[in-house]
Amino acid sequence: MDSEKPSTVFCTVVAMDTTNFYYRVCSVCERTLPENSPCKYCDSKSFNPGSSGSKRLYRIFLSIASEDKVFVVILFDRAARVLFGCSADEFFNFTELNPSAAVTAGRVLEGEMFQMKLSKPKNGNAQHLRAVSVSPLRSDFSPAVETLKKLYGVGPS
C-alpha cells in the first residue's frame, strides 16, 4: 500500500488474537478509558463500573492471507461487528457465560474469505493496517455470534 487511499484486498482469515479483543470507552465522549476508571474529559459522576458510564468497543488483531502474503490487520468496532454480528459488550457478556466462546469464535472465523478495505494507521507509531470495511465473500456467511449460539445451545433454535 503505497498511496494514502484505502486499498481493497480479497483475503482469508488465518487466525484471530482472542486474548484482548476489546477496549473500554466513555459512553458520553467515546474516549479510551483505563479499566475501572472515570473519564477525565467528562463529568466523572457519569462513570459507574458496570453501568452505562462506559462501554466496550472491538479491537481485533487478525492474521489474514491475501494472494501473495500473510499479515496482521486491526479491526476496530465497525468492521469487527460484521464478523461478530453483535456489539463488543454483547459479545463480552456472551463470553462471561461461555468462557471458551472467544477462542471458538476465532476458530469459527478461520478460513472465512472477505473483501477488506485497508488503510494505513493515522498514528505514526502504529504498525498494523486498519480494516476500514469488511464484506463477507460467502453469500451464506453467518456472523460468529450466530454460530456460537447454535454451538452453545443459546437462544432460539
Side-chain angles (χ1 to χ4, degrees), residues 9-146:
V9 297
F10 293 94
C11 60
T12 303
V13 173
V14 176
M16 180 176 83
D17 180 355
T18 59
T19 57
N20 188 13
F21 56 90
Y22 69 88
Y23 63 105
R24 279 195 179 279
V25 296
C26 173
S27 62
V28 176
C29 69
E30 291 203 349
R31 294 190 187 207
T32 304
L33 293 175
E35 199 66 35
N36 295 324
S37 295
C39 183
K40 300 185 270 187
Y41 305 99
C42 295
D43 180 5
S44 62
K45 294 176 189 167
S46 70
F47 177 80
N48 183 3
S51 79
S52 61
S54 69
K55 63 182 180 179
R56 292 172 187 86
L57 296 178
Y58 287 113
R59 178 182 52 220
I60 307 286
F61 289 94
L62 205 61
S63 292
I64 61 170
S66 67
E67 72 178 45
D68 58 349
K69 65 180 177 174
V70 175
F71 55 100
V72 175
V73 296
I74 187 167
L75 285 79
F76 286 102
D77 203 62
R78 189 174 350 139
R81 281 176 181 249
V82 173
L83 273 65
F84 284 87
C86 64
S87 72
D89 276 325
E90 291 169 309
F91 193 74
F92 175 82
N93 292 335
F94 189 87
T95 61
E96 289 287 293
L97 297 173
N98 305 284
S100 63
V103 171
T104 305
R107 290 187 182 134
V108 163
L109 291 170
E110 283 178 21
E112 284 290 346
M113 296 178 68
F114 296 94
Q115 177 179 330
M116 291 189 186
K117 198 171 275 191
L118 304 176
S119 69
K120 290 185 177 183
K122 292 177 183 155
N123 178 343
N125 296 328
Q127 51 186 310
H128 301 295
L129 294 172
R130 302 323 194 221
V132 177
S133 68
V134 177
S135 301
L137 292 179
R138 226 173 15 107
S139 61
D140 63 343
F141 172 76
S142 183
V145 75
E146 297 304 320

